[in-house]
């Protein structure tokens, strides 16, 4: 280069330059801009640079920090020439810089501030001139639209953009003035390919245009709303003035009166309903809004006008879809589903919603409430649920009279108002747990509601009008039928939901409980895998109950611990970590099992038998023990036995004395010289019922003869004084309990043989049933020679 030619500053840039870290956004080449510096390290870097050549490097910090080090910086920055330095009163410095070109840090020569780095300068590269020219025009054209619609773009910016002669610098200038995320701006700064840089900037211009379009639309909508509200306000004021001129009332009461009148006339009431509604409407029109009766009458008219008086019941539904919904929502329960489908088929054939009321009875956690929801979904109807457990006030069902302050309609009328339909599905939960008090008996109040012969003219105390609720599909749930009054039980179609065996619990866990629990715990389905042994161990060792609610609680506990592991793990990929829950790892998550394998109830010595019982929590197995002690004759009973069970024990004792004397020659002296004590463990749990009669008699015979009862044998049946074995209830639930207790043989009354058809084959598998008619037959099976 000749000596007399001016050398561009880009040609004499040093290889080592001081670095000023930027915490805001990157600065692009080809820009003249001020920078405010407050850090003493940055001010010292500026002072040192101005004493030499005034060249500094501007590099964006990866994350904002007060004392950035070399390792905190991006690798690509912009070299700049300091043009002017101004000291500010607060001690900070304002510098004006002219940015020159891009550079990449090859090596940081100092770790801490002031940072000096060895750099290499980056030159723009590009493709064919035609493509660059086309992109340049596109950029300028699109930016023109953005700048015209955005008042933030000054005329000076537009002129600068047009006068830039280099395509790469145009892209840099536009990237610097657009509202782009700092990381995206840094990516643009790192692009040396002009073609690619211009395409990237063009995308951001399009985004800006879309944002401006949305902003303009929102602004337009707001302006329209403001104009509309102002117009409505002026019109209302004019209307008010016109009404005053004409002597017409212009208050809210008159508008309410008109609204109620139009709504109530649309229902086309007749007879008593029409007469009472017209009286109340007329009274409302004459009332002073400040009187105490005004709000009472207004609320009553509001309720009447919002009840579904004229909605047409009897909507059709697809039986195939109904069955598919029941199958999809619940595993097993074949008999229950068949009963529901038959019930729905009758409703479809009759095209009539009137009929009996379903009562779902079963232990907790077997899916009674969810079955009700599935029925509503299958029918395509609105669903309303309320619980009557612990309810003692009949006004909750039939409402309060309007004479009381704060009176409200009952749950039935409230539900119809909420459902806005005359034929919804109503679920009344926990009907067996209602109480009674001085406030009335809610179960008696339900008699009218649940009677198809009466509920076509149901009268709520608050409404005090006959309302037809016969189109409502009522479903009630209970754990036991014992506490439901007979008249109420007589009005319902009973469907028993038995408990689940372990194999059913495993399938329910895999299909429903595990996905639901994973979602609840914030885990993904692919992250946790259970082995079949682990699920079996949870069912056998932790959740032996008839339902699956406790099973789900233990799954939740496992997933909470896994979530803690993931959150505590700070390494990369923690959120995608996978776990396998097997049987050995269960104790780590759930602790020691609640039930050991040794907890299975077995008769291990003479005087012990295993019986089957039915409770509101489902079927259960119980051990009956008998021992004799020398002493005065007596028969002692312990174990929280109810009066019926105590009578059964007395019958068993009398029959055994007669039997052993007649068959085995053991005379009365044996009993006269001994006190016999019969006990049922788990003494804190009340027990009652006649179905343990043959079990207690077998225990006493086993004690007297000194023979041990056959292993893995259980029995149930009522014993008469003459040795007859009479039928019992709850055989299905008792069989499920026996299955859980690894029982192989069950002695049942001959009269219950027909009930075996109702027990699923997978529950009966591995169990041999022995129907008997006499107590002697029981002993022949239980106490073989």
């Amino acid at each position: 280069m000749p000596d007399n030619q001016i050398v561009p500053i880009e040609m004499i840039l040093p290889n080592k330059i001081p670095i000023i870290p930027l915490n805001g956004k990157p600065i692009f080449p080809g820009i003249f801009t001020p920078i405010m510096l407050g850090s003493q390290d940055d001010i010292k870097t500026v002072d040192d640079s101005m004493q030499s050549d005034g060249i500094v490097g501007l590099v964006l910090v990866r994350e904002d920090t007060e004392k950035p080090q070399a390792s905190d910086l991006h690798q690509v920055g912009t070299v700049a020439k300091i043009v002017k330095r101004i000291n500010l009163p607060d001690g900070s410095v304002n510098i004006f810089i002219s940015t020159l070109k891009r550079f990449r840090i090859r090596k940081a020569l100092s770790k801490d501030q002031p940072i000096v780095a060895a750099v290499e300068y980056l030159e723009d590269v590009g493709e064919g001139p035609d493509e660059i020219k086309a992109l340049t025009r596109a950029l300028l054209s699109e930016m023109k639209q953005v700048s015209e619609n955005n008042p933030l773009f000054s005329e000076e910016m537009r002129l600068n953009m047009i006068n830039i002669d280099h395509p790469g610098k145009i892209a840099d200038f536009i990237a610097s003035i657009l509202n782009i995320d700092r990381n995206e701006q840094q990516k643009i700064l790192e692009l040396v390919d002009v073609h690619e840089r211009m395409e990237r900037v063009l995308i951001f211009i399009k985004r800006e245009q879309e944002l401006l379009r949305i902003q303009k639309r929102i602004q337009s909508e707001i302006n329209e709303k403001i104009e509309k509200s102002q117009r409505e306000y002026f019109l209302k004021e004019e209307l008010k003035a016109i009404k005053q001129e004409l002597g017409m009332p212009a208050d809210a009461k008159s508008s309410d009166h008109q609204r109620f009148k139009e709504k109530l006339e649309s229902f086309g009431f007749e007879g008593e309903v029409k007469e009472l509604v017209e009286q109340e409407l007329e009274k409302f029109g004459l009332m002073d809004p400040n009187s105490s009766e005004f709000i009472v009458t207004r609320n009553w008219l509001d309720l009447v006008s919002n009840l579904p008086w004229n909605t047409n019941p009897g909507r059709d539904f697809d039986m195939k879809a109904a069955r598919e919904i029941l199958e999809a929502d619940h595993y097993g329960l074949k008999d229950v589903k068949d009963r529901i489908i038959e019930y729905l088929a009758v409703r479809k054939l009759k095209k009539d919603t009137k009929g009996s009321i379903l009562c779902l009875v079963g232990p907790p956690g077997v899916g009674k409430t969810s079955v009700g929801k599935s029925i509503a979904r299958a029918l395509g109807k609105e669903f309303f649920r309320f619980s009557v457990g612990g309810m003692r006030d009949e006004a909750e069902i039939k409402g309060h009279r309007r004479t009381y302050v704060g009176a409200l309609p009952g749950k039935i009328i409230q539900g119809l108002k909420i459902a806005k339909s005359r034929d919804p599905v109503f679920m009344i939960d926990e009907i067996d747990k209602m109480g009674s008090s001085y406030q009335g008996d809610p179960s008696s109040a339900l008699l009218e509601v649940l009677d198809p012969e009466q509920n076509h003219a149901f009268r709520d105390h608050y409404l005090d009008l006959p309302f037809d609720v016969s189109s409502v599909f009522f479903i009630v749930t209970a754990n036991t039928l014992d506490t439901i009054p007979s008249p109420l039980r007589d009005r319902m179609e009973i469907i028993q939901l038995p408990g689940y065996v372990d194999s059913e619990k495993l399938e329910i866990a895999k299909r429903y409980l595990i996905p639901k629990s994973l979602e609840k715990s914030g885990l993904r389905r692919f992250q946790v895998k259970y082995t079949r042994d682990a699920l079996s161990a949870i069912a056998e060792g932790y959740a032996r109950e008839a339902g699956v609610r406790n099973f789900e609680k233990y799954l939740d506990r496992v997933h909470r611990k896994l979530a803690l592991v993931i959150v505590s793990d700070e390494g990369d990929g923690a959120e995608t970590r996978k776990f396998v829950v097997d049987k050995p790892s269960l104790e780590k998550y759930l602790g020691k099992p609640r039930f050991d394998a040794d907890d299975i109830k077995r008769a291990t010595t003479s005087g012990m038998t295993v019986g089957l019982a039915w409770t509101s929590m489902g079927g259960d197995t119980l051990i009956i023990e008998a021992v004799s002690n020398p002493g005065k004759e007596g028969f002692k009973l312990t174990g929280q036995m109810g009066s019926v069970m105590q009578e059964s024990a007395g019958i068993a004792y009398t029959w055994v004395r007669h039997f052993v004397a007649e068959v085995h020659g053991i005379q009365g002296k044996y009993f006269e010289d001994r006190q016999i004590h019969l006990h049922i463990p788990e003494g804190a749990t009340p027990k009652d019922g006649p179905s343990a009669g043959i079990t207690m008699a077998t225990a006493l015979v086993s004690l007297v003869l000194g023979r041990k009862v056959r292993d893995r044998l259980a029995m149930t049946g009522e014993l008469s004084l003459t040795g007859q074995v009479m039928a019992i209830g709850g055989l299905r639930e008792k069989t499920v309990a026996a299955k859980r207790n690894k029982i192989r043989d069950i002695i049942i009354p001959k009269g219950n043989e027909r009930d075996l058809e109702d027990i699923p084959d997978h529950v009966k598998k591995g169990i041999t049933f022995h129907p008997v008619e006499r107590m002697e037959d029981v002993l022949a099976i239980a106490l073989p020679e």
Side-chain angles (χ1 to χ4, degrees), residues 318-378:
D318 185 358
M319 289 296 298
K320 183 180 178 184
R323 183 178 285 277
E324 288 173 354
I325 288 171
L326 289 173
E327 291 292 343
D329 290 353
H330 298 87
Y331 176 79
L333 303 177
K334 181 179 182 302
D335 292 346
V336 176
K337 291 174 185 174
D338 289 344
R339 289 281 295 277
I340 292 170
I341 290 296
E342 291 166 6
Y343 189 82
L344 297 181
V346 172
R347 295 174 75 97
K348 185 177 178 70
L349 191 62
K350 284 178 65 181
K351 299 192 183 302
D352 181 9
T353 57
K354 297 178 174 62
S356 58
I357 288 87
L358 288 187
C359 178
L360 306 177
V361 182
V366 296
K368 298 184 294 297
T369 304
S370 60
V371 165
K373 291 179 181 177
S374 296
I375 293 173
R377 201 155 69 86

Side-chain angles (χ1 to χ4, degrees), residues 235-386:
L235 288 173
K236 284 178 181 177
E237 289 298 316
E238 287 179 11
L239 182 61
K240 193 181 293 185
I242 292 168
K243 284 186 175 181
Q244 286 176 351
E245 287 289 328
L246 296 174
M248 296 171 59
D251 56 358
K253 175 192 162 185
S254 61
S255 62
D256 280 346
H257 184 275
Q258 187 64 27
R259 178 169 59 88
F260 289 146
K261 185 177 180 181
E262 291 174 359
K263 193 78 180 284
L264 296 172
E265 285 178 352
S266 68
F267 291 133
F269 291 133
E270 295 178 355
E272 177 193 355
V273 178
K274 181 180 180 182
E275 184 179 343
L276 185 57
V277 167
E278 286 179 349
Q279 285 177 6
E280 292 293 323
L281 193 58
E282 183 180 357
K283 185 168 69 173
F284 178 72
L286 298 173
M287 270 184 185
D288 180 1
N290 296 318
S291 70
S292 58
E293 279 287 309
F294 178 81
I295 193 66
V296 174
T297 306
R298 187 193 179 283
N299 288 342
W300 186 85
L301 289 169
D302 184 64
L303 173 67
V304 174
S305 63
N306 282 293
L307 284 176
W309 295 91
N310 289 341
T311 53
N312 294 321
R315 286 173 286 178
D316 201 8
F317 55 91
D318 185 358
M319 289 296 298
K320 183 180 178 184
R323 183 178 285 277
E324 288 173 354
I325 288 171
L326 289 173
E327 291 292 343
D329 290 353
H330 298 87
Y331 176 79
L333 303 177
K334 181 179 182 302
D335 292 346
V336 176
K337 291 174 185 174
D338 289 344
R339 289 281 295 277
I340 292 170
I341 290 296
E342 291 166 6
Y343 189 82
L344 297 181
V346 172
R347 295 174 75 97
K348 185 177 178 70
L349 191 62
K350 284 178 65 181
K351 299 192 183 302
D352 181 9
T353 57
K354 297 178 174 62
S356 58
I357 288 87
L358 288 187
C359 178
L360 306 177
V361 182
V366 296
K368 298 184 294 297
T369 304
S370 60
V371 165
K373 291 179 181 177
S374 296
I375 293 173
R377 201 155 69 86
L379 291 171
K381 294 186 177 184
E382 292 75 14
F383 180 78
F384 180 77
R385 173 194 166 275
F386 66 95

Side-chain angles (χ1 to χ4, degrees), residues 7 115 117 194 203 205 330 353 466 475 478 536 564 617 697 702 709 731:
V7 180
I115 302 169
V194 175
I203 291 170
I205 294 174
H330 298 87
T353 57
I475 303 172
S536 297
L564 178 61
M617 302 295 287
S702 169
V709 174
L731 181 61

Side-chain angles (χ1 to χ4, degrees), residues 417-460:
K417 181 183 176 184
I418 292 169
K420 293 183 174 59
S421 169
R422 197 169 173 178
D423 61 339
V425 175
F426 266 31
M427 170 158 279
I428 306 175
D429 256 341
E430 314 294 353
I431 199 171
D432 57 323
K433 297 178 180 63
M434 282 190 295
S436 59
S437 68
Y438 68 92
Q439 295 170 303
D441 183 3
S443 60
S444 299
L446 279 174
L447 291 177
E448 180 187 359
V449 178
L450 299 181
D451 190 344
E453 300 300 322
Q454 299 181 43
N455 60 13
H456 64 277
F458 171 67
R459 218 175 252 276
D460 182 89

